[in-house]
Amino acid sequence: MLDFRIDTFLAVCRFMNFTRAAETLHITQPAVSQHIHWLEEKYHCRLFTFQGKKMALTPAGETLLSAATTMKHDALYLEDRLQQIRQNTGRLVFGATLTIGEFVIPKHLARFLERYPDVSVRMVVANTQELLKELDAGEIDFALVEGYFAKSEYDSLVYAREPYIGVCGTSYPLPDAPLRMEDLLAERLIVREAGSGTREVLERYLEGRNCTLRDFRRLTEAGNLNAIKSLVEQNCGVTFLYEAAVADSLRDGTLRRIPLTDFHIVNDFTFIWRKNSAFAAHYHELFQALHEDSATSPSV
């Protein structure tokens, strides 16, 4: 059972405000102060610093926050697992980013459900940052992400390695070859919303070349991959996506790869869970069970 004072600490970290933490927990502000003081006495360190009215975590506080977040997640996961045992049921709750959720995991999940037809499954599809928040809050057990995450906060396994490519419509008028990224800046760029892993890959590449998305003459944002593909197929602009998301369109000829000479990216799709979880072995089993080439049987 997680100590109730850890819940208080997590609430204070969430709001960086004792009053708002007290309101959320339905306790008094002096009680919040007492809980934090008790933790500081227990661990013999200061957890927060104050500059005027502004609060911040100390290095010790940051370490406790990381550990406490995993502890909270494990406590919620344990409660759910025990309920499944009592009810003799199985349940899988996880998150996936859009490319993985729409174009990669469905075939693997279908094989999983063939082997475990009685398991209840809920897959949350969202961008990487939203999934990290849900994972930290214990709302999902693990996540499959294409974006960047803090390796100090999450354990991980590489689920797949996927080429990241530029594409356009088959009759889109590209500049003459050979093409470099700078040659596309005059085109309309169609991209995912801010926070998506797909967009972040491109942003990081451009940053390394002293460019940003705003250096493209025209920019269009869309939160739906199929909408982006449809716009590009109709020659409205160019985009950059994982090859898995456009494989069918490349095969049927509605899209074509942009032959850039200075753009060669292969990124990891990653299976992640909270760092130092007590259930790490179980997450390894689930990774194997959801992997295309595996026949491992997890205890779901």
Side-chain angles (χ1 to χ4, degrees), residues 15 20 59 88 112 122 144 172 188 244 267 288 299:
F15 298 110
R20 292 189 63 189
N88 195 28
F112 179 90
R122 182 168 73 89
L144 288 154
Y172 188 84
R188 177 182 297 278
N267 262 16
Q288 294 295 332
S299 52

Side-chain angles (χ1 to χ4, degrees), residues 46-47 49 56-65:
R46 293 290 301 277
L47 298 176
T49 60
L57 283 164
T58 64
E62 292 175 353
T63 298
L64 181 59
L65 174 59

Side-chain angles (χ1 to χ4, degrees), residues 16-243:
M16 282 300 166
N17 184 287
F18 278 29
T19 301
R20 292 189 63 189
E23 292 171 351
T24 299
L25 296 170
H26 305 291
I27 60 177
T28 65
Q29 183 173 333
V32 170
S33 299
Q34 290 170 10
H35 294 175
I36 298 303
H37 179 70
W38 185 90
L39 290 170
E40 291 180 331
E41 289 289 312
K42 176 179 176 61
Y43 295 115
H44 308 290
C45 61
R46 293 290 301 277
L47 298 176
F48 297 95
T49 60
F50 296 86
Q51 292 185 345
K53 293 184 178 180
K54 187 175 181 181
M55 288 180 62
L57 283 164
T58 64
E62 292 175 353
T63 298
L64 181 59
L65 174 59
S66 177
T69 301
T70 297
M71 291 161 58
K72 181 68 173 179
H73 185 279
D74 279 358
L76 292 170
Y77 187 66
L78 177 60
E79 181 180 339
D80 184 62
R81 293 285 294 164
L82 292 175
Q83 182 179 353
Q84 292 176 43
I85 292 171
R86 288 194 301 269
Q87 298 176 353
N88 195 28
T89 60
R91 192 159 70 97
L92 194 66
V93 182
F94 70 99
T97 47
L98 193 55
T99 300
I100 297 173
E102 289 193 18
F103 301 102
V104 177
I105 197 61
K107 61 182 180 181
H108 300 176
L109 191 57
R111 291 190 181 94
F112 179 90
L113 293 174
E114 285 177 5
R115 275 185 275 155
Y116 310 104
D118 296 327
V119 173
S120 172
V121 175
R122 182 168 73 89
M123 179 174 69
V124 177
V125 177
N127 68 43
T128 299
Q129 295 308 312
E130 291 169 345
L131 293 179
L132 295 180
K133 290 178 183 177
E134 295 204 23
L135 187 55
D136 292 346
E139 295 171 6
I140 57 177
D141 301 331
F142 61 89
L144 288 154
V145 301
E146 62 202 68
Y148 297 90
F149 58 92
K151 291 182 172 56
S152 60
E153 294 296 318
Y154 307 94
D155 284 322
S156 63
L157 294 167
V158 175
Y159 191 77
R161 288 190 166 92
E162 187 67 27
Y164 183 84
I165 63 174
V167 294
C168 63
T170 52
S171 58
Y172 188 84
L174 286 172
D176 293 335
L179 286 175
R180 300 174 70 248
M181 179 61 75
E182 285 78 4
D183 298 324
L184 297 182
L185 296 180
E187 311 302 321
R188 177 182 297 278
L189 177 65
I190 305 173
V191 293
R192 288 278 311 282
E193 78 285 358
S196 72
T198 301
R199 173 174 173 150
E200 194 172 4
V201 173
L202 182 59
E203 287 176 328
R204 290 193 175 221
Y205 169 82
L206 291 173
E207 183 181 347
R209 302 185 68 84
N210 199 30
C211 292
T212 72
L213 297 180
R214 297 296 172 185
D215 287 315
F216 285 83
R217 182 175 298 174
R218 290 154 294 189
L219 187 67
T220 297
E221 299 180 355
N224 183 282
L225 280 177
N226 287 320
I228 292 174
K229 289 167 62 178
S230 179
L231 288 170
V232 176
E233 287 171 356
Q234 296 176 65
N235 298 310
C236 294
V238 302
T239 193
F240 293 83
L241 298 170
Y242 285 103
E243 190 171 14

